[in-house]
Amino acid sequence: MKYIFKSIVLIVVFALGGCKSFLDTEPKDFLSKQNYYTTEDHLNRALISVYDILGSNNTYGSNMLGRMGLDADQAFYGRNEKTGVSVYETAATDPLVTAFWQAMYDGINRANVLLENVSRPTMNEGKRNTIIGEAKFLRAYYYFLLVTNFGDVPLKIKTNDSPTETNFPRVSKREIYDFIIKEMTEAEAMVSTAGKVGFGGKISKSAVRGILARVCLHMAGHPVNDVSKYAEARKWAKMVMDPDPADGYVHALNPSYKQIFINYAQDLYDMKESIWEVEFWGFADGTYSESKRVGSNNGIRAHHTDNATNDLIGYAYGYIQTTASHFMLYGSESKTIGSVVLEYSNDLRRDWTIAPFYYGAAHNGAKVYPPATVADMYRRLSGKWRREYELIKPKSKNDTPQNYPLLRFSDVLLMFAEADNMVNEGPTPEAVEALNKVRRRGYGKNLKAELVRNIVITNQGTGYPATTTVAITGGGGTGATATATVVGGKITDISITDEGSGYTSAPIVTITGTGGKSATATAVISQIAATKADFTIAEIGTKADFLKLLQDERTRELAFENLRKSDLVRWGIFYQNMQNEAQDMVTGAASTWSVHSRYFTNVRQKDEVWPIPAREIGLNQGLVQNPGW
């Protein structure tokens, strides 16, 4: 069953027809608290408006997708802006930072209004409690985003009806975290189980528990450093990993890493893996839609005019370009086939997370696969959200129907492993197994099959038309597909569009095109079966060693999902890591990309948090600016 959250906007209309009308004290058309919130439907619509903040342009709908520096050392902003939060040249007047602050407090205020009026309608108390739980959780989540990005912030848990009451001082980070944990804990008892909810766009007990684990890890780390919260983080993560005591629902990893993101592109739910996600649907020109820019901002760059109407590729700005260090973190191996040297990673996540191709100069869908030189590593873009997998057509230039993950089960496993390591002063078998589950999936172990990873052209042939086809047959497997690029009648490239599965030997590649002759190619299958994914305790060593493994695994698994900067901050290594990247990029990148090194060289210690928006300080006499800003 399909569930789509739609935006609900409550509009206040005043009739200003003349002086007498302007001075009237009684509004003629006004959705006030007195004449709204009187039915169960009113409450549900108000709750949708609280959810709606998650998908706004100022949050996960656009700005947070590559434009606010949240990917930290994983990537850099690959456009030409020289100032702004996107390149760590932030100011208190930055429009994206200001809009983010306002969006968070807008969501908080919507939740406050709902919670203050939730008892008014006559309705089933169980349904009322579910609404209360979801509203409390969302309000707490918006405070979590505020405290991790601004530090101390005002705590507003009731609506303000007085136009003269404008003094709201900042509250300490500890107090904000205490409030978040209290609210989310209360919400956990009130919302439905994941099995009952059935899809990732709505809050479930699993979502609350997983985010509580994340909150507790942040409170345990820098700058609050309340290490007692590691035990709480472990507890909440373990509750997600275990069968739900209420209905036995069990979360599990999707066997295929790339399928997670294809599901987001095609509105397919997999709540066992994707526990909580922001839902989008349709496209901008549709009569009914809730589309935003997942895959447009953070996809594989294809931004020339003809791609605006290209239903194969789709238009994408490609704001996120990876760093060489992030690329190399997945490991790299080579294999020689004839005179051709192939470069690949046994970690299947790399070439999905970091696109191994870019669209060529013809802008007609042809993919160009660069070599693994340092300069070309910086060329590579975020590849998780690929517009080619979208089903809705025609494809909008800017807006997409793709969903965006807020909590995946692999994140829960890694959070458990980290918390367990800290609680037990070193790795335990349970923690190592949680890490290894994520790694096995990353290395394709859950697929239990070989994949077609490369196709090498051994003869380009002559006389082939643009409509030349490529067939992959035999080898004991199924599902592998590829497309040919033809230039001057010659086969210049064969791009794999699906790696397939189950191959026990290299399949046969057949190239067919009217008038073409002599072209041949050889398929190369992966070496998954020979690849070691698991770590043992003996190999890991100390608590510090295991933490470093987990830090690296989190960036491999969760890259470009808006978690990296806050992770680095809580680990106390944000500034150092950004300095390291600045040095690498200045000395190691070709001049084409080193010009973007300002993304890293601009960073100062104060950039752990953003400045309090100047507009808010002007309106709120109780606010003071963050140190250094």
Side-chain angles (χ1 to χ4, degrees):
M1 185 175 181
K2 197 89 175 98
Y3 297 82
I4 301 295
F5 284 115
K6 300 284 189 244
S7 304
I8 303 298
V9 181
L10 306 181
I11 304 173
V12 179
V13 180
F14 291 94
L16 303 177
C19 292
K20 185 177 184 301
S21 297
F22 180 72
L23 295 173
D24 282 346
T25 57
E26 292 295 325
K28 297 297 189 293
D29 189 2
F30 180 49
L31 290 177
S32 67
K33 298 175 187 178
Q34 286 68 40
N35 56 32
Y36 201 71
Y37 301 101
T38 57
T39 69
E40 180 180 338
D41 182 62
H42 287 174
L43 295 187
N44 283 322
R45 289 172 178 268
L47 179 61
I48 291 170
S49 78
V50 184
Y51 273 97
D52 187 57
I53 297 299
L54 294 170
S56 78
N57 284 328
N58 300 321
T59 56
Y60 297 105
S62 179
N63 290 351
M64 292 175 72
L65 308 178
R67 299 187 65 199
M68 301 187 77
L70 299 174
D71 302 299
D73 61 351
Q74 294 172 341
F76 61 96
Y77 185 71
R79 306 287 280 183
N80 294 322
E81 279 84 344
K82 295 182 179 179
T83 61
V85 66
S86 59
V87 292
Y88 283 93
E89 187 66 38
T90 318
T93 55
D94 190 282
L96 301 189
V97 171
T98 300
F100 180 87
W101 174 286
Q102 292 173 334
M104 293 300 98
Y105 278 108
D106 185 9
I108 289 165
N109 188 60
R110 294 183 188 190
N112 287 341
V113 174
L114 171 57
L115 291 169
E116 289 168 3
N117 291 275
V118 72
S119 62
R120 295 184 64 198
T122 299
M123 60 182 292
N124 177 277
E125 289 304 314
K127 293 181 178 179
R128 191 196 315 273
N129 283 337
T130 300
I131 292 172
I132 293 172
E134 291 179 46
K136 278 178 168 284
F137 173 82
L138 287 168
R139 179 171 66 176
Y141 185 73
Y142 296 146
Y143 270 116
F144 176 60
L145 293 180
L146 283 167
V147 74
T148 52
N149 286 295
F150 294 100
D152 301 350
V153 294
L155 182 61
K156 301 179 181 180
I157 56 175
K158 64 178 182 178
T159 56
N160 175 27
D161 294 324
S162 171
T164 61
E165 187 180 352
T166 60
N167 190 345
F168 297 97
R170 299 171 70 181
V171 171
S172 73
K173 291 177 282 293
R174 176 175 288 278
E175 188 173 343
I176 297 294
Y177 274 110
D178 285 341
F179 170 78
I180 293 167
I181 292 173
K182 173 181 174 296
E183 288 284 286
M184 288 189 176
T185 302
E186 291 176 5
E188 188 269 342
M190 305 175 85
V191 301
S192 300
T193 64
K196 184 176 180 180
V197 171
F199 68 109
K202 187 176 173 67
I203 304 302
S204 66
K205 288 186 184 296
S206 295
V208 177
R209 293 163 181 165
I211 297 297
L212 267 166
R214 184 181 295 169
V215 170
C216 289
L217 281 178
H218 277 77
M219 192 173 181
H222 174 78
V224 179
N225 297 309
D226 183 353
V227 295
S228 69
K229 291 298 184 287
Y230 282 121
E232 289 292 298
R234 184 192 185 282
K235 178 192 77 173
W236 290 115
K238 188 67 165 61
M239 289 179 72
V240 182
M241 294 161 60
D242 291 340
D244 194 296
D247 59 11
Y249 189 86
V250 179
H251 290 282
L253 297 174
N254 189 308
S256 170
Y257 185 75
K258 72 176 185 179
Q259 189 61 44
I260 301 165
F261 303 96
I262 294 174
N263 288 346
Y264 292 136
Q266 299 181 349
D267 279 321
L268 301 174
Y269 294 117
D270 174 16
M271 201 178 186
K272 288 184 177 295
E273 165 83 34
S274 185
I275 299 170
W276 187 30
E277 59 196 69
V278 187
E279 292 208 71
F280 299 105
W281 180 83
F283 53 90
D285 297 329
T287 303
Y288 302 103
S289 70
E290 183 71 9
S291 58
K292 283 299 188 289
R293 299 180 68 164
V294 180
S296 175
N297 281 10
N298 54 350
I300 304 168
R301 187 173 299 134
H303 59 232
H304 285 253
T305 303
D306 49 347
N307 283 333
T309 57
N310 188 324
D311 280 338
L312 175 63
I313 301 173
Y315 193 98
Y317 293 89
Y319 291 149
I320 303 175
Q321 290 183 220
T322 194
T323 57
S325 64
H326 180 57
F327 179 87
M328 291 186 289
L329 196 60
Y330 292 89
S332 182
E333 298 187 31
S334 63
K335 177 182 294 184
T336 301
I337 305 294
S339 61
V340 179
V341 178
L342 299 176
E343 182 278 330
Y344 66 97
S345 171
N346 282 316
D347 190 331
L348 304 185
R349 294 171 297 185
R350 190 195 71 181
D351 287 348
W352 184 266
T353 300
I354 303 169
F357 61 84
Y358 58 89
Y359 294 110
H363 306 294
N364 59 0
K367 298 173 181 177
V368 178
Y369 290 77
T373 64
V374 171
D376 281 301
M377 290 177 195
Y378 285 103
R379 178 194 295 275
R380 301 183 190 223
L381 298 127
S382 163
K384 282 187 171 179
W385 293 276
R386 303 188 182 193
R387 298 206 60 192
E388 64 185 278
Y389 287 93
E390 294 170 14
L391 300 178
I392 295 177
K393 296 179 180 179
K395 293 181 180 178
S396 168
K397 175 182 176 181
N398 291 327
D399 286 32
T400 82
Q402 299 200 38
N403 289 4
Y404 190 81
L406 298 180
L407 178 69
R408 295 198 288 110
F409 185 55
S410 57
D411 186 4
V412 174
L413 291 171
L414 294 176
M415 289 192 291
F416 170 82
E418 181 180 347
D420 186 85
N421 180 55
M422 302 304 286
V423 168
N424 291 292
E425 295 296 323
T428 66
E430 198 171 10
V432 174
E433 175 60 16
L435 168 67
N436 285 337
K437 283 181 179 178
V438 177
R439 288 181 57 79
R440 286 177 206 133
R441 196 262 301 277
Y443 280 73
K445 296 294 186 179
N446 296 349
L447 295 173
K448 297 182 174 64
E450 302 282 8
L451 314 176
V452 176
R453 301 303 306 282
N454 299 94
I455 294 179
V456 179
I457 299 169
T458 51
N459 188 333
Q460 292 186 331
T462 59
Y464 286 90
T467 54
T468 292
T469 62
V470 178
I472 301 173
T473 57
T478 59
T481 58
T483 59
T485 299
V486 180
V487 177
K490 296 182 178 182
I491 307 297
T492 59
D493 179 64
I494 297 179
S495 304
I496 295 171
T497 52
D498 194 314
E499 295 168 326
S501 63
Y503 292 92
T504 56
S505 62
I508 298 169
V509 179
T510 304
I511 302 168
T512 306
T514 303
K517 61 180 181 179
S518 302
T520 56
T522 302
V524 181
I525 62 174
S526 67
Q527 297 297 312
I528 293 173
T531 302
K532 181 180 181 297
D534 285 18
F535 284 113
T536 66
I537 290 181
E539 292 172 325
I540 292 169
T542 67
K543 179 176 83 170
D545 294 333
F546 191 44
L547 177 59
K548 181 61 170 65
L549 283 177
L550 288 165
Q551 289 170 346
D552 289 347
E553 198 64 36
R554 282 188 67 82
T555 195
R556 284 187 286 259
E557 174 70 23
L558 302 166
F560 315 137
E561 296 182 35
N562 278 307
L563 298 173
R564 184 59 172 177
K565 181 188 176 186
S566 60
D567 274 347
L568 293 178
V569 170
R570 70 180 176 87
W571 291 324
I573 58 176
F574 167 72
Y575 181 53
Q576 185 60 57
N577 275 37
M578 297 299 275
Q579 283 188 313
N580 293 344
E581 290 299 336
Q583 181 66 24
D584 287 349
M585 196 169 193
V586 169
T587 60
S591 59
T592 302
W593 307 119
S594 60
V595 68
H596 294 289
S597 63
R598 60 179 175 272
Y599 177 96
F600 301 105
T601 57
N602 285 339
V603 173
R604 300 294 181 266
Q605 196 74 51
K606 67 179 183 179
D607 286 296
E608 287 185 354
V609 293
W610 292 326
I612 304 298
R615 179 184 183 276
E616 302 303 320
I617 292 177
L619 294 172
N620 180 356
Q621 298 177 13
L623 286 178
V624 295
Q625 188 54 271
N626 273 323
W629 293 104

